[in-house]
Amino acid sequence: MKIELARHFGMCFGVRDALRLTYDLAQSRVITVLGELVHNPVVSAHLGTIGVREGKLADPASASTETVVITAHGAAESDRQNWRERGHEVFDTTCPLVRKAHRALECLILAGFFPVIIGRRDHAEVIGLSRDHPDAVIVENAAELAAVPPWQRIGVVAQTTQPVEHVRALVEALQKRLPESEIRFVDTVCQPTKDRQDALRDLCDANDTIVVVGGRNSNNTRQLVETAGALGRRVLQVERADELEAGWFRDSVNVGVTAGTSTLDETVREVVSRLGQISAGLQENALTGLLRAIA
Ligand code: SF4
């Protein structure tokens, strides 16, 4: 069994910086992170062991510490303000590329475009993007385009971790549905997401089985799983190396490995090493079977 690692995989700079700042702060004080810092159970469990608390961004009563931390997924300005007005010191780990999406949406609205956000409405980033713009229509799939009103000018942005092909297809479908409208699309899908999706396509060309490492509640990890599945590959998603079972790989010849943007390098290394052990074990079993057959 051959094992290949994607050209681009795993943790992005936005998540890395957010983690670094949070760990630094936690050295000197007790802090509350407003939401899940990263969608990764390994990281969440570790943060708990060093005393980092978790609160809810929309509920100012959910944190009793003076210092609170906004996650890399960002927040609406009104939420940030609420926490400051309640006397909290607010540290912001919002990824610069999420900020860019906020700015793009604000500029479109200021220029008179009706706001449309392509993304998952229950995701922290989309909640942060839309909360200060209650008129914005959130679209997850083609069926939901029906909710976009026939305004003369419509401005579209996307959640940073959506596959860009999916976003472009929805923008095209929207233009077809409203041919009279001017649709302005600002591509806010982040480069690390694009890189990981592109690298995954190459990985799928050369491998029959794809292992995706990442949290089950991580949007970009889920998107990697969906893309590999749509390309007809057998996809296995794990959060940790010890979830991998040798029996899953009995029919695999080439196994590709990728990981979501909130997955630690260490976890990916452990997965690759476990796959190496599984491969060696399968080879040994096959050899033993062959020798028995000859005897
Ligand atoms: S996935 Fe993209 S937008 Fe999100 S934290 Fe990483 S770099 Fe930033």
Side-chain angles (χ1 to χ4, degrees), residues 12-15 72 95 97-98 125 160-161 190 192-193 220 261:
C12 60
F13 76 93
V15 170
C95 173
L97 301 183
V98 174
E125 182 188 323
T160 54
T161 51
C190 75
T193 292
N220 74 84
T261 53

Side-chain angles (χ1 to χ4, degrees), residues 185-229:
F185 166 52
V186 182
D187 181 1
T188 51
V189 175
C190 75
Q191 194 59 43
T193 292
K194 288 175 180 161
D195 290 344
R196 280 150 190 72
Q197 284 277 339
D198 282 350
L200 173 63
R201 284 169 199 283
D202 294 345
L203 203 65
C204 286
D205 284 345
N207 294 280
D208 52 85
T209 305
I210 302 293
V211 174
V212 180
V213 193
R216 293 196 170 80
N217 55 348
S218 151
N219 185 57
N220 74 84
T221 303
R222 182 183 304 123
Q223 303 290 2
L224 292 170
V225 171
E226 283 177 12
T227 300

Side-chain angles (χ1 to χ4, degrees), residues 29-243:
R29 62 192 98 179
V30 185
I31 60 170
T32 303
V33 175
L34 302 176
E36 210 173 27
L37 187 65
V38 292
H39 298 314
N40 178 323
V42 179
V43 175
S44 299
H46 188 251
L47 288 171
T49 64
I50 60 166
V52 173
R53 301 179 190 177
E54 196 176 304
K56 293 192 180 94
L57 180 66
D59 177 9
S62 66
S64 54
T65 58
E66 191 190 337
T67 304
V68 295
V69 178
I70 306 261
T71 71
H73 308 104
E77 199 44 49
S78 55
D79 279 328
R80 235 178 238 115
Q81 206 47 39
N82 276 346
W83 287 93
R84 286 198 190 102
E85 280 166 11
R86 288 188 145 237
H88 291 276
E89 189 178 12
V90 178
F91 280 84
D92 202 336
T93 70
T94 303
C95 173
L97 301 183
V98 174
R99 282 185 192 281
K100 200 174 136 199
H102 277 257
R103 276 198 304 274
L105 184 64
E106 282 153 17
C107 287
L108 286 168
I109 292 170
L110 279 174
F113 287 86
F114 181 87
V116 173
I117 302 166
I118 295 177
R120 284 188 41 222
R121 61 177 53 74
D122 62 344
H123 190 277
E125 182 188 323
V126 175
I127 293 170
L129 269 170
S130 59
R131 211 163 152 82
D132 286 343
H133 309 292
D135 292 341
V137 170
I138 299 165
V139 172
E140 294 194 20
N141 52 50
E144 293 181 358
L145 290 172
V148 180
W151 271 41
Q152 212 178 344
R153 306 175 88 201
I154 295 170
V156 185
V157 298
Q159 183 181 353
T160 54
T161 51
Q162 287 285 308
V164 74
E165 291 77 12
H166 170 69
V167 173
R168 287 191 189 285
L170 287 180
V171 173
E172 264 178 47
L174 182 61
Q175 185 69 82
K176 267 195 195 129
R177 199 178 78 78
L178 301 173
E180 305 297 318
S181 303
E182 178 195 348
I183 313 275
R184 184 168 301 175
F185 166 52
V186 182
D187 181 1
T188 51
V189 175
C190 75
Q191 194 59 43
T193 292
K194 288 175 180 161
D195 290 344
R196 280 150 190 72
Q197 284 277 339
D198 282 350
L200 173 63
R201 284 169 199 283
D202 294 345
L203 203 65
C204 286
D205 284 345
N207 294 280
D208 52 85
T209 305
I210 302 293
V211 174
V212 180
V213 193
R216 293 196 170 80
N217 55 348
S218 151
N219 185 57
N220 74 84
T221 303
R222 182 183 304 123
Q223 303 290 2
L224 292 170
V225 171
E226 283 177 12
T227 300
L231 291 169
R233 295 298 169 267
R234 195 166 154 255
V235 196
L236 304 162
Q237 183 186 354
V238 292
E239 291 181 341
R240 275 181 286 263
D242 57 14
E243 292 172 30

